[in-house]
Amino acid sequence: LSPGQQAIFDQLMDLRPEDYGIRTPYAGELEPVPSDLVKVTGQRYREDGEEKTLGARYVPRHIFEAYCRMDTAFTADHPGRALLIQSCYRSPAYQIATIIDWLVNAYNGDVAATVRHASPPRYSQHTIAGKAAIDFMNVDGVPSGYRPELFKDTVEYAWLCKHGAEFGFHESWQEGNNFGMRAEPWHWQYRPAARAQ
């Protein structure tokens, strides 16, 4: 990185959501990139009548194993459908790139709005591998683009609300949450010890 790019990177790493009125819980100190990441490939979905394949996604092995059990149960209830992994583990650098993407392409440079959607690495549930969140997607390509809230109207979301906790997955940012975060019905953190809410 150039000195200017490094300065921007450092500023984004050090962002504190509370400075923008967001009470996102501190996720924890950054951990090394896990050595047991599972590379998930070949996930297929349809968008505008065209069949597409998601690129590689990375999931810590213990979370992947819980996800596989859950997806098997979901598919048994809904043949022909699947809980696709749109995102899971992100390194701190990848999370910074995600913040920049949302900041530029969705929120027109509004840092407060961006931080309600994409947390800085030390606050992101995607960068702490031990309890990483999965962003789900369905075989119809929902959510997509910059209107991911449509996931709340899917059979996948209804099933996750009923059964996700049985497999250790919990919806982090429900509508009207106390943290000031945008509702994210597709975002489910792996917290096997947590009680169903």
Side-chain angles (χ1 to χ4, degrees), residues 54-73:
L54 286 168
R57 303 300 191 247
Y58 296 89
V59 184
R61 181 162 301 281
H62 67 288
I63 296 173
F64 181 73
E65 290 169 357
Y67 156 77
C68 287
R69 290 189 297 274
M70 185 170 70
D71 187 52
T72 297

Side-chain angles (χ1 to χ4, degrees), residues 1-185:
L1 299 176
S2 70
Q5 290 170 328
Q6 185 66 52
I8 291 170
F9 181 88
D10 292 343
Q11 284 181 311
L12 292 173
M13 279 292 292
D14 293 335
L15 270 178
R16 294 167 15 111
E18 59 264 29
D19 292 343
Y20 297 90
I22 314 301
R23 296 174 303 284
T24 308
Y26 182 72
E29 281 305 306
L30 299 178
E31 304 169 348
V33 174
S35 61
D36 67 344
L37 288 175
V38 175
K39 182 178 181 180
V40 180
T41 60
Q43 297 183 100
R44 301 181 72 79
Y45 67 99
R46 292 177 302 279
E47 186 174 70
D48 299 326
E50 182 181 340
E51 190 156 313
K52 298 185 176 185
T53 304
L54 286 168
R57 303 300 191 247
Y58 296 89
V59 184
R61 181 162 301 281
H62 67 288
I63 296 173
F64 181 73
E65 290 169 357
Y67 156 77
C68 287
R69 290 189 297 274
M70 185 170 70
D71 187 52
T72 297
F74 171 76
T75 301
D77 287 347
H78 299 281
R81 302 197 68 80
L83 294 169
L84 304 181
I85 299 172
Q86 187 174 46
S87 185
C88 185
Y89 176 76
R90 301 178 192 152
S91 69
Y94 190 100
Q95 185 65 12
I96 293 295
T98 300
I99 290 170
I100 291 169
D101 178 50
W102 285 101
L103 180 67
V104 172
N105 295 310
Y107 296 113
N108 298 316
D110 184 335
V111 175
T114 301
V115 174
R116 285 186 70 234
H117 183 97
S119 299
R122 290 181 183 87
Y123 295 83
S124 173
Q125 294 178 354
H126 290 290
T127 58
I128 308 301
K131 50 187 177 180
I134 293 180
D135 289 345
F136 290 105
M137 179 180 189
N138 71 16
V139 295
D140 302 316
V142 177
S144 66
Y146 295 103
R147 295 203 51 220
E149 66 278 359
L150 298 178
F151 190 75
K152 73 181 183 305
D153 300 323
T154 66
V155 66
E156 288 78 9
Y157 177 67
W159 192 92
L160 284 165
C161 288
K162 188 173 182 181
H163 299 288
E166 297 168 23
F167 300 90
F169 291 91
H170 302 270
E171 184 179 4
S172 298
W173 316 124
Q174 296 173 336
E175 189 73 41
N177 65 76
N178 294 326
F179 303 106
M181 288 292 288
R182 169 187 177 176
E184 296 189 353

